[in-house]
Amino acid sequence: MKRIMCVVKYDGSGFNGYQRQPGLRTVQGEIEKALEKIAKKPITIHSSGRTDAGVHANGQVFHFDTEGAMDGCRYARAFKSLLPDDIFIVSSQEVDKGFHARYHGKIKEYRYQLSLNAYAPIRRNYTYFHPRNLDIEAMREAMAHLVGTHDFTSFCGIIDESDKVRTIFEANLYEDEGELTFQFVGNGFLRYMIRIMVGTLIAVGDGRKSAKDIPLIITGRNRKLAGLTAKPQGLYLEYVKYPQEVMEQTAFPFSGIE
Amino acid sequence: MKRIMCVVKYDGSGFNGYQRQPGLRTVQGEIEKALEKIAKKPITIHSSGRTDAGVHANGQVFHFDTEGAMDGCRYARAFKSLLPDDIFIVSSQEVDKGFHARYHGKIKEYRYQLSLNAYAPIRRNYTYFHPRNLDIEAMREAMAHLVGTHDFTSFCGIIDESDKVRTIFEANLYEDEGELTFQFVGNGFLRYMIRIMVGTLIAVGDGRKSAKDIPLIITGRNRKLAGLTAKPQGLYLEYVKYPQEVMEQTAFPFSGIE
C-alpha cells in the first residue's frame, strides 16, 4: 500500500462545493471518478478540509491510498486527461503512511478578493464586487484585532458544541487601484469564518461598525454580533503547509508545498 | 423616434457567439430579450460587429431605435435587472439618428491574452495557455510587419470575394512574468483575423516560422500560408472608437467611448 499526496487547483464556480454528494457535481466526486479510472477500483480521497460552493483553490491538498504500482509522481499526469478542465492536479508524490492531509495540515492561507471598481462580467465568479468606497485604514485596524488565538464563535456559521478556538497568525489587507485582497494565515478556519470576517470588515469599512467593535464581537461569542457572510466567489484556498517533521518522515521529503 | 447607443461588456464563455441565432444563447439574443421587456415590443439592436463564441468584450458598442419616452442615459440602469450577470451595459445615451454602430465604428482595439505559465483552472475561459517558451523578440519583429494597409486574405477564415484590405494602426506585444498581451488597433478586422495573426505569431515564437516570413504570407494571399487559428477564449474586444465628426453630430456629444 502506498499513500499519495496531491496538490490541486480548482475553479469552484461549477461545483456544489468540495465534498462528495450523491447526484451533485463536486470537486471530490470528480477527482474520485477520475481516480477510479486510474486505479480500476473506487478509492476515497482525504483533503485538508472542505471548501464551500463557489470557493476556489490554488493549493488544496488531498491524499489517498492505493495498491497500484505506479510511481506517486506520475499520478498528476494520469489525472490530466481524466479530469474536467476546472480541476488541475499541480503535483503528486508518495508520502509516508503516517501523513494525513487533514490532521497534519497545520497552516492554511486563504485570500478574499473584493473589487471597489465597476462590475466586470468576466470576473463575476472570481471577485466580490462592492462598488462603493471603503475606509481601508479602519479595516486594517479592525483586522489587527482578529490576529491571535481567540474563540471565533461569533465568526462561525455553525452552532454546535465543537471547539471554536483558532489562531490567526497573519491578517493583511492589500489595495491596488480599488482591488482589495484580504490575506488570512491561520492554523485552521471554522465554517464560513473567513467570509464572516470579511463581511464584518466591510461593515467597518462602510462605517456601520467600528474597528474598536471587533474585540467585543470576539468576546461576545455570538454570531449575531458579526457582519454578513461575504459571497463565496471572492474566496481562494491558497495553500496548506505541513510541519517540517511530518514532511521529513515521508518517503519523499520536500521542503514545502507552495 | 430616438436612437440610443450603448457600451456593453460581456463574458463570452457562456454564449454561442454574439449574433442572434434561433434556439441558441447569444449576446444579441439576450440583450434583445431584455430590451423587449423595457420597450414592450421587439427591437433589433445593431452592433459594431460580431464576436465569435467564447470571445469577450470590454467595450462592444450597439445602437437601437425606440419610440419610448425614456431618457437615453436611463437604459443602462433599466437593462441592469433584466440582463443575465454575464452581460453588463456600461453606459447608454441618445445619439444622432445618423449614427450607426457598425458603419461609423472606424477604430477598434482587440487584445489577446496568452499565458506561458502553468495551467490555472480559474483562467481557462479568459486566457489561452501555452506553457512553453516563445521568442518574444522574434514575435515583436513579426508583428511589426502586420502594421499598415494590407490585403489580409491569408489571415481570414472565410473564402469569398469581399474586400480583404484592412489597416492595422498599431500592434504591440506586452510581456509580464510569462503573461503575454497582444494589442491590435485597426480600422476593422476580418473573421478570425486576430486569432490567425496570433496563431501565426506563436509559430514565429516557436521557431516554426520566421519574422521574415510575414511579408511573404501577406503577399501570398492564401490562408494556408499563415498559422493556426488561436483559441477564442484569449480574445477581447476592448473598444470601438467613432470619428469626432460623427460624435459631434449627435444630440449628446461625448469625447470618446473608452
Side-chain angles (χ1 to χ4, degrees):
Chain A
M1 195 275 285
K2 276 179 188 168
R3 182 155 288 185
I4 311 293
M5 180 195 104
C6 296
V7 179
V8 58
K9 292 186 185 220
Y10 48 83
D11 178 337
S13 321
F15 297 103
N16 295 89
Y18 174 82
Q19 196 181 23
R20 183 182 51 214
Q21 295 176 71
L24 293 176
R25 187 172 189 265
T26 69
V27 179
Q28 183 184 6
E30 293 299 313
I31 294 174
E32 290 181 348
K33 219 192 289 179
L35 185 53
E36 183 167 349
K37 284 181 193 153
I38 297 171
K40 319 280 184 222
K41 61 177 179 181
I43 293 179
T44 297
I45 65 168
H46 303 272
S47 76
S48 77
R50 305 165 197 170
T51 52
D52 291 311
V55 174
H56 314 290
N58 284 322
Q60 169 70 289
V61 175
F62 66 87
H63 78 259
F64 60 88
D65 292 332
T66 175
E67 305 291 337
M70 186 160 77
D71 271 359
C73 61
R74 294 187 53 207
Y75 278 88
R77 181 172 284 265
F79 270 119
K80 209 166 177 178
S81 58
L82 296 168
L83 282 171
D85 66 359
D86 47 359
I87 304 180
F88 179 67
I89 307 291
V90 179
S91 65
S92 63
Q93 64 185 300
E94 188 172 345
V95 287
D96 187 83
K97 288 175 191 65
F99 172 91
H100 197 288
R102 179 155 161 233
Y103 303 141
H104 294 142
K106 284 302 179 216
I107 302 179
K108 281 186 185 182
E109 178 178 321
Y110 277 93
R111 287 186 182 234
Y112 193 94
Q113 295 298 132
L114 186 146
S115 178
L116 308 180
N117 297 319
Y119 181 73
I122 58 166
R123 296 177 57 217
R124 72 195 183 286
N125 294 326
Y126 309 102
T127 292
Y128 170 44
F129 282 94
H130 182 88
R132 273 169 292 171
N133 273 336
L134 293 176
D135 182 340
I136 309 286
E137 278 318 308
M139 292 166 84
R140 285 198 175 120
E141 200 188 320
M143 250 177 134
H145 291 296
L146 295 167
V147 176
T149 302
H150 305 291
D151 182 322
F152 283 98
T153 299
S154 297
F155 298 90
C156 180
I158 290 172
I159 298 165
D160 62 16
E161 295 301 308
S162 69
D163 180 27
K164 302 282 192 291
V165 175
R166 295 291 185 279
T167 300
I168 296 182
F169 304 119
E170 227 182 293
N172 296 301
L173 172 51
Y174 304 101
E175 200 252 329
D176 183 20
E177 298 186 350
E179 303 294 325
L180 307 191
T181 303
F182 299 80
Q183 177 197 34
F184 294 97
V185 182
N187 68 351
F189 295 92
L190 305 165
R191 189 135 201 218
Y192 303 135
M193 179 168 153
I194 311 259
R195 291 163 56 191
I196 298 169
M197 290 194 296
V198 170
T200 308
L201 292 169
I202 292 172
V204 170
D206 268 344
R208 287 175 288 127
K209 289 191 194 295
S210 137
K212 290 193 292 287
D213 295 339
I214 303 295
L216 303 169
I217 295 172
I218 293 173
T219 54
R221 299 179 58 216
N222 181 344
R223 170 70 188 91
K224 286 177 187 149
L225 298 172
L228 299 173
T229 306
K231 294 189 178 178
Q233 66 265 36
L235 188 56
Y236 296 76
L237 170 56
E238 286 294 322
Y239 63 74
V240 188
K241 273 191 179 157
Y242 294 87
Q244 200 56 39
E245 64 268 26
V246 171
M247 296 327 299
E248 276 166 5
Q249 282 166 19
T250 68
F252 302 86
F254 61 106
S255 57
I257 288 164
E258 218 175 327
Chain B
M1 196 275 286
K2 276 180 189 168
R3 182 156 289 185
I4 311 292
M5 181 195 103
C6 296
V7 179
V8 59
K9 291 185 187 223
Y10 48 82
D11 178 338
S13 322
F15 296 103
N16 296 88
Y18 174 83
Q19 196 181 23
R20 184 181 51 212
Q21 295 175 71
L24 293 176
R25 186 171 190 267
T26 68
V27 178
Q28 184 184 6
E30 293 298 313
I31 294 173
E32 289 180 349
K33 219 192 287 178
L35 185 54
E36 183 167 351
K37 285 181 191 152
I38 297 171
K40 318 280 184 223
K41 60 176 178 182
I43 293 180
T44 297
I45 65 169
H46 303 271
S47 75
S48 77
R50 306 164 195 170
T51 53
D52 292 310
V55 174
H56 315 291
N58 284 323
Q60 170 71 289
V61 175
F62 67 86
H63 78 260
F64 60 88
D65 292 332
T66 174
E67 305 291 336
M70 186 161 78
D71 270 359
C73 61
R74 293 187 56 209
Y75 278 88
R77 181 172 284 266
F79 270 119
K80 209 168 177 176
S81 58
L82 296 168
L83 282 171
D85 65 0
D86 46 359
I87 304 180
F88 179 67
I89 307 291
V90 179
S91 65
S92 62
Q93 64 187 301
E94 187 172 345
V95 287
D96 186 83
K97 288 175 191 64
F99 172 90
H100 196 287
R102 180 155 159 233
Y103 304 139
H104 294 142
K106 285 301 179 216
I107 302 180
K108 280 186 183 181
E109 178 180 320
Y110 277 93
R111 287 185 183 236
Y112 193 95
Q113 296 297 132
L114 186 147
S115 177
L116 309 180
N117 297 318
Y119 182 73
I122 59 166
R123 296 177 56 217
R124 72 193 183 288
N125 294 326
Y126 308 102
T127 291
Y128 170 45
F129 282 95
H130 182 89
R132 273 169 291 170
N133 274 335
L134 292 175
D135 181 341
I136 309 287
E137 278 318 308
M139 292 165 83
R140 287 198 175 118
E141 200 189 320
M143 252 178 131
H145 291 297
L146 295 167
V147 176
T149 302
H150 306 290
D151 182 322
F152 283 98
T153 299
S154 297
F155 297 90
C156 180
I158 290 172
I159 297 166
D160 63 14
E161 296 300 308
S162 69
D163 180 27
K164 304 282 193 292
V165 175
R166 296 291 184 278
T167 300
I168 296 183
F169 303 119
E170 227 183 293
N172 296 301
L173 172 51
Y174 304 101
E175 200 252 330
D176 183 19
E177 299 186 348
E179 304 294 326
L180 308 192
T181 303
F182 300 80
Q183 177 197 35
F184 294 96
V185 182
N187 69 351
F189 296 92
L190 305 165
R191 188 136 200 216
Y192 303 135
M193 178 168 153
I194 312 257
R195 291 163 58 192
I196 298 170
M197 290 194 295
V198 170
T200 307
L201 293 169
I202 291 171
V204 171
D206 269 344
R208 286 175 288 126
K209 288 191 195 295
S210 136
K212 291 194 292 287
D213 295 340
I214 303 294
L216 303 170
I217 295 172
I218 295 173
T219 53
R221 298 179 58 217
N222 181 344
R223 170 71 189 87
K224 287 178 185 147
L225 297 172
L228 300 172
T229 306
K231 294 188 178 179
Q233 66 264 36
L235 188 58
Y236 296 75
L237 170 55
E238 287 294 322
Y239 63 74
V240 187
K241 274 191 178 158
Y242 294 87
Q244 199 58 39
E245 64 268 25
V246 172
M247 297 326 299
E248 276 166 6
Q249 283 167 17
T250 69
F252 302 87
F254 60 107
S255 57
I257 287 164
E258 220 175 329

